[in-house]
Amino acid sequence: MVALEIFLNTTTRTEAVDITPRIEAILEREMVKEGLCFIYVPHTTAAITINENADPSVMKDFMQKMEELVPWTAKYSHTESNSAAHIKAILCGSSVTVVIKGGELLLGRWQGVFFMEFDGPRKRKVYIKIIKG
């Protein structure tokens, strides 16, 4: 098993960061040919998702729609004023699992792995756990 971290410095309140190339670099460096890749975010106001990475407007549209569905300013009880970020993270989820085949993430043609920032800018990390096999 291989356990690693990816470090990110997000620059805006909300953003989608394609971390697929960073994960692929880990697979290459660790010489992983087959297995499973677990990708986990240890933050309550950030998330991980898989979606289209060919056209950046897809994630832009997603972030815009999330803001409409869960606006930053609303009547929330949480006293830190970032309830919207917590709700968005819950909706997106904190982890994904991807099969590794032939040394590559077994993603669809247009898919990528995205770190979703909902309460930035911040210093963030993503845990990567690879089970070879």
Side-chain angles (χ1 to χ4, degrees):
M1 281 191 275
V2 179
L4 300 154
E5 294 176 333
I6 294 173
F7 296 95
L8 300 162
N9 288 315
T10 60
T11 58
T12 60
R13 179 185 286 176
T14 60
E15 63 184 289
V17 180
D18 185 355
I19 60 170
T20 311
R22 294 177 75 172
I23 299 168
E24 290 170 337
I26 290 170
L27 298 180
E28 185 176 342
R29 185 181 72 233
E30 299 296 324
M31 297 183 287
V32 179
K33 297 297 178 198
E34 306 290 326
L36 292 173
C37 182
F38 298 95
I39 305 145
Y40 170 73
V41 174
H43 306 289
T44 60
T45 58
I48 286 288
T49 193
I50 295 174
N51 212 297
E52 181 176 333
N53 69 350
D55 180 355
S57 67
V58 171
M59 294 313 288
K60 181 180 177 186
D61 290 345
F62 174 80
M63 294 301 244
Q64 181 180 347
K65 186 52 71 177
M66 284 294 277
E67 182 60 28
E68 291 173 20
L69 294 171
V70 186
W72 195 260
T73 54
K75 291 184 178 183
Y76 299 117
S77 299
H78 184 50
T79 58
E80 289 182 33
S81 301
N82 63 351
S83 284
H86 289 288
I87 294 166
K88 291 171 186 176
I90 289 168
L91 292 173
C92 291
S94 60
S95 67
V96 295
T97 304
V98 182
V99 173
I100 303 164
K101 183 177 180 182
E104 298 180 358
L105 296 172
L106 196 58
L107 295 168
R109 180 177 183 173
W110 307 112
Q111 287 183 319
V113 180
F114 288 89
F115 174 86
M116 308 296 288
E117 175 63 76
F118 296 119
D119 193 24
R122 291 183 183 262
K123 292 183 179 190
R124 301 291 201 168
K125 62 182 155 187
V126 177
Y127 293 122
I128 308 293
K129 181 80 163 191
I130 298 168
I131 298 179
K132 297 180 182 180

